[in-house]
């Protein structure tokens, strides 16, 4: 069965600090997808990134970067020069391809990390 | 283009009642999935619909059910409400079932309170 662990329940930083959110996953599938979502106080989950299991290339998008390492089953998320607007709960999620080559669209979420960026 | 729309945003019900929540996916999206979010259990998958058929179901009792209409809009129903059903219910739409190259876009959720 799949599982996602976000060991950091809460992180508090001062604006302009860099912060890394950890995500460790478990799956028996060789084909799977990893995601990060942001949940601001409004409640809506905002999609940040999707990565498939065959693409270990790190990605950078503005102040956001992601480090995917299959060897350690980790998919960590770094915010550079954090801002107050980054304050939110961040979720890492896993979706397995399933037996039908991709017909199992079900996200397994971690418990989330509450990031507070103080001015 | 319009995002995922969930109605109502807030709901208060009494134990034993039943409730229906609605979700309109992004235009062109055919897959709709539902999640329950509680402080204790976090985000848990309820079920997923594609082309009016339930394709996946999470570990929830039969009191939780859903359906999808021909226009891809979806409803979920909870019967015989219990206090523990109080949660934020999130709906997500994605372009196509089986195409895991697409991400799921979430609505703002319906916050259900059972008293």
């Amino acid at each position: 069965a799949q599982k996602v662990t976000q060991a950091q329940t809460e992180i508090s930083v001062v604006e302009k600090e860099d912060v890394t959110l950890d995500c460790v996953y478990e799956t028996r599938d060789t084909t799977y997808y990893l995601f990060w979502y942001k949940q601001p106080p409004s409640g809506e989950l905002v999609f940040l990134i999707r990565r498939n299991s065959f693409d270990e290339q790190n990605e950078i998008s503005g102040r956001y970067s992601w480090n995917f390492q299959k060897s350690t089953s980790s998919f960590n998320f770094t915010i550079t020069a954090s801002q107050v607007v980054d304050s939110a709960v961040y979720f890492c999620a896993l979706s397995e391809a399933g037996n039908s080559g991709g017909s199992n669209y079900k996200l397994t979420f971690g418990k989330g990390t509450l990031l507070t960026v103080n001015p | 283009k319009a995002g995922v729309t969930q109605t109502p945003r807030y709901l208060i019900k009494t134990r034993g009642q039943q409730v229906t929540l609605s979700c309109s996916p992004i235009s062109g999206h055919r897959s709709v999935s539902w999640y329950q979010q509680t402080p204790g259990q976090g985000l848990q998958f309820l079920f997923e619909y594609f082309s009016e058929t339930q394709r996946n179901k999470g570990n929830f009792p039969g009191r939780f059910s859903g359906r999808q209409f021909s226009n891809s809009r979806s409803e979920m129903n909870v019967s015989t409400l219990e206090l523990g059903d109080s949660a934020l219910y999130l709906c997500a739409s994605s372009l196509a079932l089986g195409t895991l190259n697409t991400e799921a876009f979430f609505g703002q959720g319906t916050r259900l309170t059972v008293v």
Side-chain angles (χ1 to χ4, degrees):
Chain A
Q2 63 261 46
K3 182 180 178 182
V4 175
T5 302
Q6 294 180 254
Q8 304 148 309
T9 306
E10 294 186 38
I11 299 177
S12 182
V13 299
V14 177
E15 210 169 16
K16 297 185 182 176
E17 281 186 35
D18 298 347
V19 58
T20 295
L21 309 181
D22 298 332
C23 173
V24 174
Y25 63 92
E26 295 177 29
T27 177
R28 294 179 197 167
D29 274 20
T30 55
T31 303
Y32 53 89
Y33 289 77
L34 295 164
F35 304 79
W36 275 94
Y37 283 88
K38 172 183 179 180
Q39 187 176 42
S42 61
E44 180 178 355
L45 283 168
V46 178
F47 167 81
L48 294 177
I49 190 171
R50 175 189 66 249
R51 172 68 71 221
N52 75 56
S53 52
F54 299 106
D55 182 4
E56 285 192 75
Q57 194 171 28
N58 292 332
E59 181 159 337
I60 298 175
S61 176
R63 297 185 296 107
Y64 297 168
S65 62
W66 291 268
N67 182 279
F68 175 30
Q69 292 195 338
K70 286 178 75 170
S71 61
T72 56
S73 297
S74 65
F75 186 44
N76 297 336
F77 172 34
T78 297
I79 301 175
T80 303
S82 60
Q83 299 175 3
V84 173
V85 293
D86 295 328
S87 297
V89 181
Y90 290 85
F91 291 95
C92 179
L94 165 72
S95 180
E96 296 176 335
N99 297 326
S100 304
S103 65
N104 183 23
Y105 202 109
K106 164 189 170 182
L107 292 170
T108 297
F109 285 89
K111 293 292 188 183
T113 297
L114 171 62
L115 173 64
T116 302
V117 182
N118 299 297
Chain B
K1 76 185 174 183
V4 179
T5 304
Q6 289 189 247
T7 56
R9 289 290 312 280
Y10 302 92
L11 208 48
I12 299 176
K13 288 286 189 178
T14 304
R15 267 184 304 174
Q17 287 187 312
Q18 67 97 26
V19 67
T20 299
L21 312 181
S22 178
C23 172
S24 295
I26 292 171
S27 177
H29 284 196
R30 300 171 67 188
S31 172
V32 174
S33 43
W34 289 87
Y35 293 81
Q36 181 196 65
Q37 185 176 23
T38 59
Q41 299 300 317
L43 278 155
Q44 293 186 288
F45 173 78
L46 279 157
F47 28 63
E48 180 204 0
Y49 288 86
F50 180 77
S51 291
E52 302 177 63
T53 301
Q54 185 183 93
R55 302 301 287 266
N56 293 289
K57 191 176 191 308
N59 296 322
F60 279 82
R63 300 185 298 106
F64 291 81
S65 62
R67 58 178 174 168
Q68 185 181 36
F69 302 94
S70 57
N71 62 358
S72 293
R73 189 177 71 85
S74 176
E75 288 181 348
M76 68 162 280
N77 184 277
V78 187
S79 62
T80 320
L81 284 166
E82 301 176 1
L83 295 179
D85 297 333
S86 295
L88 179 66
Y89 290 89
L90 290 162
C91 166
S93 81
S94 55
L95 194 56
L97 178 68
T99 307
L100 292 185
N101 265 335
T102 62
E103 59 271 27
F105 293 92
F106 284 80
Q108 288 190 295
T110 294
R111 184 163 296 281
L112 171 65
T113 302
V114 182
V115 298

